Amino acid sequence: MNANRGMYIEELVNRTNSYYYDRNIAIIEKRYLPIKIIKNLSPNTIVGKLLAKSYVDYCGVFKSQHIEFETKQTNESNFNLNLIKEHQLRHLINAMNHGAKSFLIVYFNAIDKIYLIKTSDIINWIKVNKSKTIKFEYIKDNCQEIDISYPGIIDYLKFL
């Protein structure tokens, strides 16, 4: 089960990014883990070594603006910030501090809703609430719900 964690939202984002690219709207790319292949066990199986911590899932450019974001999926109704690795949150904050648009796209599996949560909203939540769990009410009231449109596109750029 853990192997497919986050795959639904990543598939939607990948499809959306292809849509954006094909229509010359934005260039947003998926970052992959830096892995050194040590040994091929079979045509479909390798042994590898992680060369470095990855930053966030996606980066790109939209209307001359740099973008950095991470995708997450949760079965909970609230969003636990422990789902974001410390170095990823630090990277989102640094990107924001350097003028980039940085955010999370979170799929709430239990209620079948997707939200864009800006890094600034995460920082505000932590400062005010001193909690690592963002309540869904805060997300609903302060963040942007992203609808899925045909053919499986989530137009998140309209919120930037």
Side-chain angles (χ1 to χ4, degrees):
M1 174 145 169
N2 285 341
N4 289 327
R5 192 177 47 180
M7 293 305 291
Y8 175 71
I9 191 61
E10 281 196 14
E11 177 58 34
L12 286 174
V13 170
N14 291 341
R15 190 176 301 147
T16 301
N17 291 344
S18 292
Y19 174 89
Y20 289 154
Y21 186 82
D22 292 345
R23 286 155 184 79
N24 200 27
I25 296 169
I27 300 171
I28 301 166
E29 297 178 334
K30 169 91 171 119
R31 282 191 175 127
Y32 292 96
L33 291 172
I35 296 174
K36 178 180 180 183
I37 297 173
I38 308 238
K39 184 178 188 181
N40 281 320
L41 299 178
S42 72
N44 296 325
T45 307
I46 62 167
V47 174
K49 178 181 178 184
L50 190 60
L51 296 175
K53 292 179 180 179
S54 69
Y55 292 106
V56 292
D57 289 335
Y58 297 92
C59 66
V61 69
F62 170 62
K63 293 185 178 178
S64 301
Q65 183 73 52
H66 185 73
I67 296 170
E68 296 274 343
F69 67 98
E70 178 72 16
T71 57
K72 294 297 179 187
Q73 188 165 314
T74 182
N75 291 323
E76 306 298 320
S77 56
N78 298 319
F79 183 70
N80 189 330
L81 288 171
N82 288 327
L83 293 173
I84 307 171
K85 293 179 178 92
E86 185 179 324
H87 69 277
Q88 291 174 320
L89 182 57
R90 189 172 49 248
H91 181 80
L92 289 171
I93 292 168
N94 286 340
M96 180 190 73
N97 289 340
H98 285 281
K101 301 288 185 184
S102 67
F103 52 92
L104 298 176
I105 294 179
V106 180
Y107 174 61
F108 291 89
N109 189 43
I111 56 174
D112 195 28
K113 292 195 179 286
I114 302 168
Y115 280 86
L116 185 145
I117 305 172
K118 293 179 181 173
T119 303
S120 58
D121 289 324
I122 296 169
I123 293 168
N124 290 338
W125 172 266
I126 293 170
K127 282 181 183 175
V128 171
N129 297 282
K130 309 258 188 269
S131 171
K132 290 287 254 174
T133 300
I134 302 176
K135 301 291 182 194
F136 184 74
E137 286 301 315
Y138 176 86
I139 293 169
K140 188 173 83 173
D141 293 343
N142 296 283
C143 303
Q144 292 74 34
E145 183 177 351
I146 306 171
D147 294 319
I148 300 174
S149 62
Y150 179 83
I153 303 299
I154 57 169
D155 187 12
Y156 60 87
L157 290 179
K158 69 182 178 183
F159 297 113
L160 303 184

